[in-house]
Amino acid sequence: MENGGHAKYRVAVIGSGNWGSVASRLIGSNTAKLPSFYDEVRMWVFEETLPTGKKLSESINQQNENCKYLPGIKLGPNVIADPDLESAVKDANMLVFVTPHQFVEGICKKLVGKLRPGAEAISLIKGMEIAVEMFSEATIGYRKDKEVANRWAKLFTTPYFLVSVAEDIEGVELCGTLKNIVAIAAGLVDGLDMGNNTKAAIMRIGLREMRAFSKLLFPSVRDNTFFESCGVADLITTCLGGRNRRVAEAFARNGGKRSFDELEAEMLHGQKLQGVSTAREVYEVLTYRGWQELFPLLSTVHEICIGQLPPTSIVEYSEHTPNLSIIGGPTPFY
Ligand SMILES: NC(=O)C1=CN([C@@H]2O[C@H](COP(=O)(O)OP(=O)(O)OC[C@H]3O[C@@H](n4cnc5c(N)ncnc54)[C@H](O)[C@@H]3O)[C@@H](O)[C@H]2O)C=CC1
Ligand SMILES: O=C(CO)COP(=O)(O)O
């Protein structure tokens, strides 16, 4: 019998970028200790050839380290890189999705019919400095089944990484998604040397728009979710230190003359920005629903990213947007 007659869980991580590698290390450290999990964690690697000519997956397995996306950090002996998606997931009953969001659809299509019956999945949100074991935290959103949510929390929790659960899948997901747009706005403010007061204002307005947009789309979204780690804490950390912020700062310093794509490739060496594409996707929703004027910050970020407005518009949008008093004042849904 497995685990004294109780179910035993096998984990596969789908993705091996910066956060994917951190997550695999964290999970591997727990599965090695917890009897209800198999030790081995398979990490699917989107295969790349390194400048040395070696395959990334081979290098990870030889060095026990992802030299491209998380250099200098050992992943743990039970983390195995696997470039074959089907082989990586075939025995797993707990799947951790952690790829840039633009690749998820293609990956899911390839997984159709390949998974174990009853396999559960989670999509990861936030937490970066934990690779060097600095204190951090995260939130898991769930619907109804708290026992399942708690099992996932157990898989991730360590003394330096605290994981809580919130019964609000949409709210947790939207926090993690929308804050990347606000981080672009924060980076623009940095690139324009506008200082901390302006940046704090942008973060506050951004948080309000995040909450309002989430609640308009999904009335079930809870206010409290925005005070969890996935909300205000994730927003602050991304606006202070993240990749979206950093590239947006460079974009503003270049007066918007070099594109985000170009700066991403130059500055991130294969890592991917999420804020620019998310801003576009959210803008499509805003346009479709006629909500643009209600969300001037979210709209303006997209218009700046595509070169329709200059970076300075991030603090000028109130002049362009007739309905702007809404940002400062109460509305039915803010
Ligand atoms: N890095 C962080 O601090 C955090 C990241 N996240 C989220 O985790 C997700 C993954 O981000 P990271 O692990 O940081 O990735 P990353 O940005 O460090 O690396 C990009 C990854 O995409 C892969 N890739 C490139 N082309 C691909 C393709 N065609 N198909 C599939 N994969 C491809 C690369 O091999 C690499 O693994 C993103 O949605 C991100 O927003 C969430 C929380 C924290
Ligand atoms: O949470 C993150 C991505 O979703 C991390 O933020 P950055 O990509 O801005 O570093």
Side-chain angles (χ1 to χ4, degrees):
M1 296 290 276
E2 295 177 338
N3 190 30
H6 297 289
K8 198 156 173 176
Y9 299 95
R10 191 181 289 281
V11 184
V13 177
I14 301 167
S16 55
N18 182 258
W19 178 217
S21 303
V22 173
S24 299
R25 167 185 148 88
L26 189 68
I27 292 167
S29 74
N30 277 337
T31 56
K33 284 186 231 139
L34 297 168
S36 49
F37 295 90
Y38 289 99
D39 288 1
E40 183 181 283
V41 174
R42 288 253 147 197
M43 177 176 79
W44 173 66
V45 173
F46 177 76
E47 193 64 290
E48 299 177 46
T49 305
L50 298 170
T52 56
K54 194 175 268 189
K55 297 286 183 203
L56 177 59
S57 60
E58 277 170 34
S59 160
I60 295 173
N61 286 334
Q62 283 166 9
Q63 310 297 323
N64 192 235
E65 186 177 315
N66 188 337
C67 65
K68 176 156 182 188
Y69 294 102
L70 191 64
I73 305 281
K74 294 292 175 201
L75 298 177
N78 53 334
V79 175
I80 309 296
D82 189 339
D84 180 335
L85 183 61
E86 194 176 329
S87 134
V89 301
K90 74 176 170 23
D91 297 322
N93 48 4
M94 290 179 81
L95 303 171
V96 179
F97 282 82
V98 59
T99 65
H101 76 285
Q102 58 267 43
F103 305 128
V104 170
E105 191 181 346
I107 290 169
C108 288
K109 283 184 178 154
K110 288 190 190 134
L111 289 176
V112 173
K114 311 288 187 213
L115 302 180
R116 272 179 66 172
E120 296 164 4
I122 193 168
S123 164
L124 288 200
I125 50 152
K126 212 42 200 175
M128 190 160 176
E129 290 167 306
I130 58 167
V132 285
E133 305 195 355
M134 289 161 75
F135 178 77
S136 188
E137 54 179 19
T139 315
I140 290 177
Y142 71 97
R143 188 175 287 128
K144 287 190 184 141
D145 199 337
K146 194 166 184 185
E147 203 180 308
V148 172
N150 282 334
R151 171 151 39 78
W152 282 106
K154 197 166 148 190
L155 182 64
F156 286 98
T157 301
T158 70
Y160 59 86
F161 188 54
L162 301 189
V163 180
S164 56
V165 299
E167 194 176 359
D168 182 4
I169 285 194
E170 291 82 5
V172 172
E173 284 283 337
L174 282 164
C175 278
T177 300
L178 297 171
K179 66 102 176 66
N180 285 334
I181 307 178
V182 184
I184 299 271
L188 294 171
V189 164
D190 285 344
L192 295 166
D193 290 320
M194 286 180 167
N196 287 339
N197 283 350
T198 308
K199 191 158 153 184
I202 288 288
M203 287 160 67
R204 182 191 75 84
I205 293 166
L207 186 62
R208 290 180 70 155
E209 290 201 21
M210 285 166 56
R211 188 176 61 160
F213 180 77
S214 305
K215 292 182 80 161
L216 268 183
L217 269 189
F218 296 98
S220 63
V221 165
R222 298 175 178 184
D223 284 341
N224 278 352
T225 301
F226 296 84
F227 296 98
E228 296 286 348
S229 168
C230 63
V232 66
D234 197 4
L235 179 72
I236 291 171
T237 189
T238 315
C239 288
L240 296 186
R243 300 169 295 190
N244 288 288
R245 187 216 66 79
R246 192 151 59 89
V247 177
E249 177 181 2
F251 180 84
R253 290 205 186 282
N254 283 285
K257 291 192 177 66
R258 299 186 64 202
S259 72
F260 272 95
D261 281 351
E262 193 184 340
L263 292 166
E264 177 189 65
E266 183 180 297
M267 297 173 70
L268 298 187
H269 313 291
Q271 294 190 32
K272 300 284 179 201
L273 283 184
Q274 304 287 275
V276 174
S277 48
T278 306
R280 186 189 63 242
E281 290 149 9
V282 166
Y283 194 84
E284 282 166 14
V285 176
L286 297 180
T287 311
Y288 179 75
R289 302 220 177 197
W291 292 347
Q292 265 165 283
E293 288 187 4
L294 298 178
F295 299 97
L297 188 141
L298 297 178
S299 302
T300 301
V301 167
H302 172 67
E303 288 168 357
I304 293 171
C305 288
I306 60 170
Q308 198 169 308
L309 290 175
T312 47
S313 301
I314 197 59
V315 287
E316 291 164 1
Y317 55 75
S318 56
E319 291 163 25
H320 303 298
T321 315
N323 207 9
L324 232 256
S325 55
I326 211 156
I327 277 291
T331 73
F333 57 88
Y334 265 36

